[in-house]
Coordinates of all heavy atoms in Angstrom, one line a residue:
Y1 N -252.6 -73.9 65.7 CA -251.8 -73.7 66.8 C -252.1 -74.8 67.9 O -251.2 -75.2 68.5 CB -251.8 -72.3 67.4 CG -251.0 -71.3 66.6 CD1 -251.3 -69.9 67.0 CD2 -250.2 -71.5 65.7 CE1 -250.6 -68.9 66.3 CE2 -249.5 -70.5 64.9 CZ -249.7 -69.2 65.3 OH -249.0 -68.2 64.7
S2 N -253.3 -75.1 67.9 CA -253.7 -75.9 69.1 C -253.9 -77.4 68.5 O -254.6 -78.2 69.2 CB -254.9 -75.5 69.8 OG -256.0 -75.4 68.9
A3 N -253.4 -77.6 67.3 CA -253.5 -78.9 66.8 C -253.0 -80.0 67.7 O -252.0 -79.8 68.4 CB -252.7 -79.0 65.4
S4 N -253.7 -81.2 67.7 CA -253.4 -82.1 68.7 C -252.1 -82.8 68.3 O -251.4 -83.5 69.1 CB -254.5 -83.2 68.7 OG -254.7 -83.8 67.5
K5 N -251.7 -82.8 67.1 CA -250.5 -83.3 66.7 C -249.6 -82.3 65.9 O -250.2 -81.6 65.0 CB -250.7 -84.5 65.7 CG -251.5 -85.7 66.5 CD -251.5 -86.9 65.6 CE -252.2 -88.0 66.3 NZ -252.5 -89.2 65.5
K6 N -248.3 -82.3 66.1 CA -247.5 -81.3 65.4 C -247.5 -81.6 63.9 O -247.3 -80.7 63.1 CB -246.1 -81.4 66.0 CG -245.9 -80.8 67.3 CD -244.5 -81.0 67.9 CE -244.5 -80.3 69.2 NZ -244.0 -81.2 70.2
E7 N -247.6 -82.9 63.5 CA -247.6 -83.3 62.1 C -248.8 -82.5 61.4 O -248.7 -82.2 60.3 CB -247.8 -84.9 62.0 CG -246.5 -85.6 62.6 CD -246.6 -85.7 64.1 OE1 -247.6 -85.6 64.7 OE2 -245.4 -86.0 64.6
E8 N -250.0 -82.5 62.1 CA -251.1 -81.8 61.4 C -250.8 -80.3 61.1 O -251.1 -79.8 60.1 CB -252.2 -81.8 62.4 CG -253.6 -81.3 61.9 CD -254.7 -81.3 62.9 OE1 -254.5 -81.9 64.0 OE2 -255.7 -80.6 62.7
F9 N -250.0 -79.6 62.1 CA -249.8 -78.2 61.9 C -248.7 -78.3 60.8 O -248.8 -77.4 59.8 CB -249.1 -77.7 63.2 CG -248.6 -76.2 63.0 CD1 -249.5 -75.2 63.3 CD2 -247.4 -75.9 62.5 CE1 -249.2 -73.9 63.2 CE2 -247.1 -74.6 62.2 CZ -247.9 -73.6 62.7
L10 N -247.7 -79.1 60.8 CA -246.7 -79.1 59.8 C -247.2 -79.3 58.4 O -246.8 -78.6 57.5 CB -245.5 -80.2 60.1 CG -244.4 -80.1 59.1 CD1 -243.7 -78.8 59.1 CD2 -243.4 -81.3 59.5
Q11 N -248.2 -80.3 58.3 CA -248.8 -80.5 57.0 C -249.5 -79.3 56.4 O -249.4 -79.0 55.3 CB -249.7 -81.7 57.1 CG -249.1 -83.0 57.3 CD -250.1 -84.2 57.6 OE1 -251.2 -83.9 57.7 NE2 -249.5 -85.3 57.8
E12 N -250.3 -78.7 57.3 CA -250.9 -77.5 56.9 C -250.1 -76.3 56.5 O -250.2 -75.6 55.5 CB -252.0 -77.0 58.0 CG -252.9 -75.8 57.5 CD -253.7 -76.0 56.4 OE1 -254.0 -77.3 56.0 OE2 -254.2 -75.1 55.8
F13 N -249.0 -76.2 57.4 CA -248.0 -75.1 57.0 C -247.3 -75.3 55.8 O -247.2 -74.4 55.0 CB -246.9 -75.1 58.2 CG -245.8 -74.1 58.0 CD1 -246.0 -72.8 58.1 CD2 -244.5 -74.6 57.6 CE1 -245.0 -71.9 57.8 CE2 -243.5 -73.7 57.3 CZ -243.7 -72.3 57.4
I14 N -246.9 -76.5 55.5 CA -246.2 -76.9 54.2 C -247.1 -76.7 53.0 O -246.7 -76.0 52.1 CB -245.7 -78.3 54.3 CG1 -244.5 -78.5 55.2 CG2 -245.3 -78.8 52.8 CD1 -244.1 -79.9 55.4
K15 N -248.4 -77.0 53.2 CA -249.4 -76.8 52.2 C -249.5 -75.3 51.8 O -249.4 -74.9 50.7 CB -250.7 -77.4 52.5 CG -251.8 -77.2 51.5 CD -253.1 -77.7 52.0 CE -254.3 -77.2 51.2 NZ -255.2 -76.5 52.0
Q16 N -249.7 -74.6 52.8 CA -249.9 -73.1 52.6 C -248.6 -72.4 52.2 O -248.6 -71.5 51.3 CB -250.5 -72.5 53.9 CG -251.9 -72.8 54.1 CD -252.6 -71.9 55.1 OE1 -252.2 -70.8 55.3 NE2 -253.7 -72.4 55.7
Q17 N -247.5 -72.8 52.7 CA -246.2 -72.3 52.4 C -246.0 -72.5 50.8 O -245.5 -71.6 50.1 CB -245.1 -72.9 53.1 CG -243.7 -72.2 52.8 CD -243.7 -70.8 53.3 OE1 -243.9 -70.5 54.4 NE2 -243.3 -69.9 52.4
S18 N -246.3 -73.7 50.4 CA -246.1 -74.0 48.9 C -247.0 -73.2 48.1 O -246.6 -72.8 47.0 CB -246.5 -75.5 48.7 OG -245.5 -76.4 49.4
E19 N -248.2 -73.0 48.5 CA -249.1 -72.1 47.8 C -248.8 -70.7 47.8 O -248.9 -69.9 46.7 CB -250.6 -72.2 48.3 CG -251.1 -73.6 48.2 CD -252.5 -73.8 48.9 OE1 -252.9 -72.9 49.7 OE2 -253.0 -74.9 48.9
E20 N -248.3 -70.1 49.0 CA -248.0 -68.7 49.1 C -246.6 -68.3 48.7 O -246.4 -67.1 48.4 CB -248.4 -68.2 50.5 CG -250.0 -68.3 50.7 CD -250.4 -67.8 52.0 OE1 -249.7 -67.0 52.6 OE2 -251.4 -68.3 52.5
G21 N -245.8 -69.2 48.8 CA -244.3 -68.9 48.5 C -243.6 -68.1 49.6 O -244.2 -67.9 50.6
L22 N -242.3 -67.7 49.4 CA -241.5 -67.0 50.3 C -241.7 -65.5 50.2 O -242.1 -65.0 49.2 CB -240.0 -67.3 50.0 CG -239.6 -68.8 50.2 CD1 -238.2 -69.0 49.7 CD2 -239.7 -69.2 51.7
R23 N -241.4 -64.8 51.3 CA -241.4 -63.4 51.3 C -240.3 -62.8 50.4 O -240.3 -61.8 49.7 CB -241.2 -62.7 52.6 CG -242.3 -63.0 53.6 CD -241.9 -62.5 55.0 NE -243.0 -62.6 55.9 CZ -242.9 -62.4 57.1 NH1 -241.9 -61.9 57.6 NH2 -243.9 -62.6 58.0
F24 N -239.1 -63.5 50.5 CA -237.9 -63.1 49.7 C -237.0 -64.3 49.6 O -237.2 -65.3 50.3 CB -237.1 -62.0 50.4 CG -236.9 -62.2 51.8 CD1 -235.8 -62.9 52.3 CD2 -237.8 -61.6 52.8 CE1 -235.5 -63.1 53.6 CE2 -237.5 -61.8 54.1 CZ -236.4 -62.6 54.6
D25 N -236.0 -64.2 48.7 CA -235.1 -65.4 48.6 C -234.3 -65.6 49.9 O -233.9 -64.6 50.5 CB -234.0 -65.1 47.5 CG -234.6 -65.1 46.1 OD1 -235.7 -65.8 45.9 OD2 -234.0 -64.5 45.2
P26 N -234.2 -66.8 50.4 CA -233.5 -67.1 51.6 C -232.2 -66.4 51.6 O -231.3 -66.6 50.7 CB -233.4 -68.7 51.6 CG -234.6 -69.1 50.9 CD -234.7 -68.0 49.7
G27 N -231.8 -65.8 52.8 CA -230.5 -65.2 53.0 C -230.4 -63.8 52.4 O -229.4 -63.1 52.5
K28 N -231.4 -63.3 51.7 CA -231.4 -62.0 50.9 C -232.1 -60.9 51.6 O -232.5 -60.0 51.0 CB -231.8 -62.3 49.6 CG -231.1 -63.3 48.8 CD -229.6 -62.9 48.5 CE -228.9 -64.0 47.7 NZ -227.6 -63.8 47.6
G29 N -232.8 -61.2 52.8 CA -233.6 -60.2 53.4 C -233.8 -60.5 54.8 O -233.1 -61.5 55.4
Y30 N -234.6 -59.7 55.6 CA -235.0 -59.9 57.0 C -236.4 -59.7 57.1 O -236.9 -58.7 56.7 CB -234.1 -58.9 57.8 CG -234.7 -58.9 59.3 CD1 -234.1 -59.9 60.2 CD2 -235.7 -58.1 59.7 CE1 -234.6 -59.9 61.5 CE2 -236.2 -58.2 61.1 CZ -235.6 -59.1 61.9 OH -236.1 -59.1 63.2
A31 N -237.1 -60.6 57.8 CA -238.4 -60.4 58.2 C -238.7 -61.3 59.4 O -238.5 -62.5 59.4 CB -239.4 -60.8 57.1
Y32 N -239.1 -60.7 60.5 CA -239.5 -61.4 61.7 C -240.4 -62.6 61.4 O -241.3 -62.5 60.6 CB -240.2 -60.4 62.7 CG -240.5 -61.0 64.0 CD1 -239.4 -60.9 64.9 CD2 -241.7 -61.6 64.3 CE1 -239.6 -61.4 66.4 CE2 -242.0 -61.9 65.6 CZ -240.9 -62.0 66.6 OH -241.1 -62.5 67.9

């Protein structure tokens, strides 16, 4: 969250998102 560059946060987010996957198919559910 306090990464000095947004790119650093985005890279880590993309990496983890790729590893963990989605909660549900886009448009097929609701989750805050």
Side-chain angles (χ1 to χ4, degrees):
Y1 281 168
S2 62
S4 58
K5 295 184 179 175
K6 290 181 180 126
E7 293 80 20
E8 181 183 350
F9 180 92
L10 183 61
Q11 288 169 2
E12 184 62 20
F13 174 74
I14 289 171
K15 176 181 166 238
Q16 288 196 23
Q17 185 66 57
S18 296
E19 292 170 0
E20 296 183 23
L22 298 171
R23 293 178 179 177
F24 51 81
D25 290 337
K28 304 292 183 194
Y30 170 87
Y32 188 81

